Amino acid sequence: MNYRGMQNSLIIGVAASALAACSLQTPRQIHGDVYLIDTELAQLCSPSACYSLNLIQPSWNEQDIARQFGLPMQNYSWNASELTAILLSPPDNSYQVEQLSDHEFIIPRTLATETTYHLLRQEDFFLYWTTPGES
């Protein structure tokens, strides 16, 4: 095997290990038009995938999330804990949260929660799945 082949094998191995590690951290199964917040793992999950709430920092997407929750337009720079607090206690009182355990919560799909999920997914894609210079 040449150097290029070894390098590709290593990359594939690391990627497979990372994906396996992520699948181990997936919380209980959820179904329907809801999201699950796991505060222990700092994740926002749909029935198909989980994304780290830590992806919000640094991000330029806080404005879009703030707009959907009816927050005043200003510069926001949230961390995972602050975003979690917003999701668990929506400032616009647009939904109720269901607590499953001490660290797992169900929130409904609303425009605000869907925007949050999709922006975290976008951050994950740009950080981990694109090659520098691509988009």
Side-chain angles (χ1 to χ4, degrees):
M1 182 180 291
N2 64 21
Y3 175 74
R4 187 78 155 150
M6 287 177 20
Q7 186 179 24
N8 287 341
S9 294
L10 179 62
I11 290 170
I12 290 169
V14 169
S17 296
L19 289 174
C22 288
S23 67
L24 293 175
Q25 295 182 4
T26 303
R28 73 174 77 196
Q29 291 292 321
I30 55 174
H31 304 283
D33 288 340
V34 298
Y35 292 109
L36 182 134
I37 298 174
D38 187 317
T39 57
E40 191 172 85
L41 299 175
Q43 291 182 332
L44 178 61
C45 302
S46 73
S48 60
C50 293
Y51 295 101
S52 173
L53 291 160
N54 290 304
L55 290 166
I56 196 63
Q57 190 177 19
S59 174
W60 61 88
N61 290 313
E62 287 96 338
Q63 297 297 338
D64 293 330
I65 296 169
R67 185 179 308 107
Q68 297 306 324
F69 277 107
L71 293 168
M73 286 296 99
Q74 62 186 43
N75 289 327
Y76 293 97
S77 181
W78 299 321
N79 61 33
S81 296
E82 292 165 327
L83 180 57
T84 300
I86 290 167
L87 291 167
L88 293 179
S89 184
D92 60 356
N93 296 312
S94 58
Y95 59 83
Q96 299 295 313
V97 175
E98 178 186 348
Q99 186 168 359
L100 299 178
S101 71
D102 62 331
H103 63 92
E104 292 178 315
F105 301 85
I106 294 287
I107 60 173
R109 284 188 189 214
T110 65
L111 188 54
T113 60
E114 231 173 269
T115 298
T116 304
Y117 178 83
H118 289 290
L119 291 173
L120 292 174
R121 184 176 74 176
Q122 178 182 335
E123 292 285 348
D124 180 79
F125 177 78
F126 287 140
L127 285 171
Y128 301 113
W129 300 103
T130 59
T131 304
E134 290 183 8
S135 57

